[in-house]
Amino acid sequence: MQHRPIVSSAIALLTTIGMLASTGAQAGMYRYEDENGRMVISNTIPQEATKRGYDILGNNGRVVETVPPAPTAEEIAAREAEKERQRQAELQRQKDEKLLERYSHPDQAVRAMHRKIREMEGMIQLKRGNISVISSQLNNEQSRAADMERAGREVPEASLEKIRRLEAQIDDVEQEIQNQRRQIEDMKDEFKADITRLETITGEERTLPLEPPENDSQ
């Protein structure tokens, strides 16, 4: 019974020594090059040295981990450029998939473009017809106003307002036609880009002309 305190103290001392030894074993050493290019081994490492890369050593002096140098500005720029290239490639792949869902051959896209052109040209013809009707009404109003002036009568404000309104309607429809023409050209450019891409990804060339044949009723 008298020896128990001594035994307990010995066990506590051994435990403490073991913990210290374990802590020492876990404490790594660093091997790195200083600013003069000399190899240094130390239990600490300057922040500037970490940018050049370093080794972590075990108690036996062997390398347990190698930390590479921090990337240069050029390397970072190259990595970002590669990420962007991959992103653009993925976007193009997705666009190609959607394009192939619509058309399996460039000629299919050409026919679709021809149909769209005919539809939009048909709308322009309708607008031209509207202009003819409005122009006829305008001519009648202007003729009546001219007859009144020749007879020495004052043209009513209502007639003058109607003439101005008809002239404005014609200008509006003409502007719509110009916008429609621009839309046709933009649409054709988009289709031509799709057709060219289809030739690339399918390996097939179009056999149809880009401009729709005259009097085409397809």
Side-chain angles (χ1 to χ4, degrees):
M1 296 296 293
Q2 295 178 351
H3 296 288
R4 285 183 181 178
I6 298 175
V7 172
S8 298
S9 298
I11 293 174
L13 178 61
L14 290 174
T15 301
T16 301
I17 294 173
M19 292 175 63
L20 293 173
S22 175
T23 302
Q26 292 176 1
M29 299 291 287
Y30 302 98
R31 182 174 65 186
Y32 60 91
E33 287 186 0
D34 63 13
E35 63 275 9
N36 297 318
R38 293 175 300 189
M39 189 64 65
V40 177
I41 297 177
S42 173
N43 61 350
T44 61
I45 179 171
Q47 183 176 0
E48 285 299 319
T50 62
K51 298 178 181 179
R52 296 190 291 269
Y54 57 93
D55 295 326
I56 300 176
L57 307 179
N59 286 337
N60 56 6
R62 293 181 180 179
V63 176
V64 296
E65 184 180 354
T66 297
V67 178
T72 64
E74 292 77 9
E75 290 172 337
I76 293 174
R79 291 177 187 176
E80 293 301 319
E82 177 60 18
K83 288 180 181 179
E84 179 62 18
R85 186 195 67 77
Q86 293 178 358
R87 189 182 73 85
Q88 292 295 336
E90 176 60 19
L91 289 175
Q92 186 62 62
R93 186 191 65 78
Q94 294 175 5
K95 289 180 180 179
D96 290 345
E97 285 184 355
K98 292 181 179 179
L99 187 60
L100 290 171
E101 289 175 359
R102 298 198 304 269
Y103 316 110
S104 60
H105 191 280
D107 283 348
Q108 290 183 339
V110 174
R111 294 189 185 95
M113 179 178 66
H114 290 175
R115 288 193 298 270
K116 191 66 176 178
I117 292 174
R118 287 193 296 272
E119 291 174 3
M120 299 178 76
E121 289 288 356
M123 294 175 64
I124 290 176
Q125 291 304 316
L126 289 175
K127 294 180 186 297
R128 292 284 183 202
N130 292 338
I131 289 178
S132 296
V133 172
I134 298 171
S135 295
S136 178
Q137 296 174 0
L138 178 60
N139 289 335
N140 291 336
E141 289 297 325
Q142 289 174 335
S143 295
R144 281 195 290 270
D147 290 342
M148 291 178 186
E149 289 177 340
R150 282 192 293 269
R153 295 157 53 192
E154 185 177 355
V155 179
E157 180 60 30
S159 295
L160 295 175
E161 177 60 29
K162 186 173 183 180
I163 289 172
R164 289 192 291 268
R165 186 173 66 253
L166 292 171
E167 289 174 339
Q169 288 177 1
I170 291 174
D171 290 342
D172 289 344
V173 177
E174 288 286 2
Q175 185 62 46
E176 290 176 5
I177 290 174
Q178 292 181 16
N179 291 339
Q180 194 90 43
R181 289 291 183 194
R182 285 193 290 268
Q183 290 174 12
I184 289 176
E185 292 306 313
D186 292 342
M187 178 269 297
K188 288 165 67 174
D189 289 342
E190 292 177 3
F191 265 105
K192 288 175 182 178
D194 286 345
I195 292 166
T196 299
R197 185 60 185 171
L198 281 166
E199 289 179 325
T200 298
I201 59 182
T202 64
E204 301 284 348
E205 294 186 0
R206 65 177 174 84
T207 62
L208 300 175
L210 293 175
E211 295 298 327
E214 295 183 3
N215 301 323
D216 186 2
S217 60
Q218 292 182 357

